[in-house]
C-alpha cells in the first residue's frame, strides 16, 4: 500500500529514540515537582514509578510484537478491546502529548533566550519537524547525537555532586509524606518514563519487530532508570529534598552547591539538548498515532499520506508541527500540562488491559494486572486539577466519538 511506512530502524535506533524521549522529558523537569509531593521519600516514589513503567513496558512490548503497526496503544486497544478503547487511547495520547511538545519547546526557549522563549520555541518546533520529515533514519541519528551529549552532561553532574564535600548521605531521607505523597510523586515521575512509548508507536518502521521491540523497550527503560536513580541520589545528597522541591533548575543548583559553578552553563546546554531530543521523539510518536487514526477515519484521511521518497507521514508530521508551533508561540503551557500525566496513565491502562487479553502465561497476566492497577492508582493520586482536567479531556474525546458514530462518519 502507498501509505505504509518502510522498516528501517534496528534495536539501537529504537533504544535511542526511547532514551531521547525519556531523558529529555524527565530529569530536567520532573525532579522538583516530584520532590514537593514525595519529600524525603523521593527515591521510594522513583521506585514505584519504575515498577509501574516496567509493567507497562512489558505489556506494550508484547503487544507491539503482535501488532507491529504505527499507532501504539491506539492499535492495541482497537484490536484487543474494540474501536472505542483504541480511539480513547489515541485521543488521550495525541492531545496530551501535543501539549507536552509545546512545553518541551518552551523549555528550549526559556534556556536559550529568557524573555523571548516563545519565538525560540516556535523556531525549535519548525527545525525539529523539518528533521522528522527528512526521514526516520535521519531523526534517529539526530536523536543519537543528542542522547550521547545529554548523558555526558548528566554524568558530569553526578560526578561533581558525589565527589564534592557538600554531599551528605543524610540528605537522602527527610520528612515522611505518607502513602499519598509517595504515590503523587510517583505519578509525576512516571511522566519521565513514558518515552518508551515512542518505540512502540514507531512499530511500523522497525525491522523484525517481533524481536526488536521486546528487546529495545526494556533496554531503554533500564538505562533511563539507572540514569534517573544516579542523578536523583546525586542531587538529593547535595540539596536535600526541601531545597530540591523549591528549585526551578535543580541540576544547575546542585552543581553550584557542589562547588562547580563553571558547570552551570554546561547543564543549561544539556537541558536545551535534552528538551530538543524529547521534542523530536514526541513529534515522531504523535505523528504516527495521527497517521493510524487518520487511516481509520478518526482524523482527516489526507493525514494518512506517506511520502513516496522519504517514507514518512509528512502530512501528519507537518500538521502536528504546525499545531505545536502555534501553541508554543502563543500560550505558556509549562504550568498547565498536568493532565498529560493523566492521559499517559490512561493510555497505558488501556495497553495493560489489552495485554491481559492475549491469554499468555500467568506471569504475563500478573504483569498486566499490576500495570493496570498501578496506572489507575497513580492517576487518582495526581493533583486534583490534573485529574479533573484529564477526565474532562477524555470525556470530550468520548463525546466526539459518540457523535461521529451516530452520524455514521469514521470507523
Amino acid at each position: 500500500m502507498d501509505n505504509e511506512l518502510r522498516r528501517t530502524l534496528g534495536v539501537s535506533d529504537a533504544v535511542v529514540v526511547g532514551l531521547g524521549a525519556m531523558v529529555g522529558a524527565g530529569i530536567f523537569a520532573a525532579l522538583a515537582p516530584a520532590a514537593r509531593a514525595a519529600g524525603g521519600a523521593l527515591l521510594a516514589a522513583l521506585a514505584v514509578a519504575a515498577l509501574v513503567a516496567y509493567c507497562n513496558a512489558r505489556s506494550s512490548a508484547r503487544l507491539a510484537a503482535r501488532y507491529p503497526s504505527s499507532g501504539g496503544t491506539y492499535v492495541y486497544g482497537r484490536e484487543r478491546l474494540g474501536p472505542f478503547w483504541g480511539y480513547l487511547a489515541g485521543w488521550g495520547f495525541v492531545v496530551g502529548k501535543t501539549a507536552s511538545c509545546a512545553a518541551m519547546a518552551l523549555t528550549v526557549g526559556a534556556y536559550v533566550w529568557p524573555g523571548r522563549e516563545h519565538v525560540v520555541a516556535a523556531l525549535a518546533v519548525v527545525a525539529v519537524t523539518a528533521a522528522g520529515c527528512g526521514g526516520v533514519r535521519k531523526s534517529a541519528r539526530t536523536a543519537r547525537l543528542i542522547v550521547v551529549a545529554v548523558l555526558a552532561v548528566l554524568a558530569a553532574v553526578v560526578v561533581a555532586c558525589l565527589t564534592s564535600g557538600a554531599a551528605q548521605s543524610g540528605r537522602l531521607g527527610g520528612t515522611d509524606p505518607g502513602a499519598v505523597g509517595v504515590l503523587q510523586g510517583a505519578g509525576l515521575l512516571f511522566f519521565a518514563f513514558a518515552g518508551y512509548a515512542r518505540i512502540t508507536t514507531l512499530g511500523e518502521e522497525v525491522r523484525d519487530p517481533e524481536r526488536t521491540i521486546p528487546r529495545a523497550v526494556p533496554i531503554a527503560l533500564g538505562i533511563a532508570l539507572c540514569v534517573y536513580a544516579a542523578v536523583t541520589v546525586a542531587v538529593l545528597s547535595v540539596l536535600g529534598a526541601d531545597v530540591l522541591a523549591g528549585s526551578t533548575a535543580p541540576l544547575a543548583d546542585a552543581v553550584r552547591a557542589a562547588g562547580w559553578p563553571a558547570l552551570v552553563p554546561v547543564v543549561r546546554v544539556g537541558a536545551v539538548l535534552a528538551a530538543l531530543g524529547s521534542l523530536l521523539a514526541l513529534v515522531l510518536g504523535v505523528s504516527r498515532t495521527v497517521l493510524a487514526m487518520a487511516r481509520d477515519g478518526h482524523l482527516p484521511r489526507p493525514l494518512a499520506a506517506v511520502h513516496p521518497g522519504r517514507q514518512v507521514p509528512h502530512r501528519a508530521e507537518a500538521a502536528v508541527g504546525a499545531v505545536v508551533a502555534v501553541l508554543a508561540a502563543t500560550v505558556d503551557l509549562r504550568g498547565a500540562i498536568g493532565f498529560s500525566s493523566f492521559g499517559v496513565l490512561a493510555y497505558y491502562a488501556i495497553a495493560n488491559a489489552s495485554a491481559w487479553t492475549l491469554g499468555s502465561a500467568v506471569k504475563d497476566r500478573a504483569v498486566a494486572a499490576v500495570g493496570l492497577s498501578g496506572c489507575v492508582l497513580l492517576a487518582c493520586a495526581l493533583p486534583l486539577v490534573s485529574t479533573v482536567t484529564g477526565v474532562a479531556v477524555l470525556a470530550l474525546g468520548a463525546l466526539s466519538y459518540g457523535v461521529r458514530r451516530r452520524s455514521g462518519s469514521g470507523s
Side-chain angles (χ1 to χ4, degrees):
M1 295 176 61
D2 59 2
N3 67 341
E4 290 184 348
L5 303 176
R6 183 179 300 157
R7 298 190 183 279
T8 59
L9 301 179
V11 173
S12 62
D13 298 317
V15 168
V16 165
V17 169
L19 273 179
M22 284 187 278
V23 173
I27 204 62
F28 290 93
L31 280 182
R36 284 194 289 274
L42 182 60
L43 290 174
L46 180 66
V48 173
L51 173 63
V52 177
Y54 168 78
C55 294
N56 296 344
R58 180 77 175 270
S59 294
S60 297
R62 290 171 55 224
L63 288 159
R66 178 75 69 91
Y67 303 102
S69 300
S70 291
T73 299
Y74 166 72
V75 174
Y76 316 147
R78 181 192 67 196
E79 296 297 324
R80 304 304 305 185
L81 303 176
F84 170 75
W85 295 105
Y87 170 86
L88 197 63
W91 170 265
F93 182 83
V94 169
V95 174
K97 289 303 184 181
T98 297
S100 296
C101 286
M104 285 297 104
L106 285 165
T107 299
V108 175
Y111 275 98
V112 172
W113 195 357
R116 294 289 186 274
E117 55 262 37
H118 288 286
V119 175
V120 176
L123 293 175
V125 174
V126 172
V128 164
T129 303
C133 290
V136 73
R137 286 287 295 170
K138 290 182 180 179
S139 298
R141 286 195 293 269
T142 302
R144 188 185 300 273
L145 294 175
I146 291 174
V147 165
V148 169
V150 172
L151 290 179
V153 171
L154 294 179
V157 171
V158 171
V159 171
C161 290
L162 294 183
T163 58
S164 74
Q168 297 181 18
S169 59
R171 292 196 178 105
L172 298 180
T175 305
D176 182 6
V180 174
V182 172
L183 291 175
Q184 189 173 113
L188 294 169
L189 285 169
F190 178 81
F191 172 76
F193 285 106
Y196 55 81
R198 303 304 88 72
I199 300 173
T200 59
T201 53
L202 294 170
E204 195 171 320
E205 293 159 276
V206 173
R207 296 194 304 268
D208 190 11
E210 293 80 2
R211 171 181 171 273
T212 299
I213 294 175
R215 290 182 63 190
V217 168
I219 291 173
L221 182 61
I223 294 173
L225 174 58
C226 292
V227 170
Y228 286 164
V231 173
T232 301
V233 168
V235 172
L236 274 177
S237 69
V238 172
L239 297 180
D242 292 339
V243 176
L244 173 58
S247 175
T248 57
L251 271 64
D253 290 345
V255 295
R256 188 181 291 109
W260 288 84
L263 274 181
V264 173
V266 177
V267 172
R268 291 176 67 87
V269 172
V272 170
L273 290 174
L276 282 172
S278 179
L279 179 60
L280 175 60
L282 282 166
V283 170
L284 288 176
V286 173
S287 63
R288 270 56 179 183
T289 302
V290 168
L291 168 71
M293 296 181 74
R295 284 172 173 171
D296 291 341
H298 292 305
L299 292 174
R301 290 192 185 274
L303 295 177
V306 173
H307 193 280
R310 295 190 294 271
Q311 288 294 300
V312 296
H314 57 295
R315 291 179 182 172
E317 288 199 18
V320 171
V323 172
V324 173
V326 170
L327 289 174
T330 57
V331 183
D332 191 345
L333 293 176
R334 283 169 295 179
I337 61 166
F339 76 89
S340 181
S341 289
F342 185 94
V344 171
L345 287 163
Y347 177 87
Y348 282 113
I350 294 173
N352 281 296
S354 301
W356 173 271
T357 69
L358 290 175
S360 302
V362 173
K363 180 178 69 173
D364 291 328
R365 283 204 159 185
V367 168
V370 171
L372 175 58
S373 302
C375 286
V376 173
L377 190 60
L378 294 186
C380 293
L382 286 170
L384 182 60
V385 65
S386 300
T387 302
V388 171
T389 306
V391 170
V393 168
L394 292 182
L396 180 62
L399 178 62
S400 173
Y401 180 87
V403 169
R404 298 179 77 252
R405 292 282 289 186
R406 286 178 64 88
S407 67
S409 60
S411 297

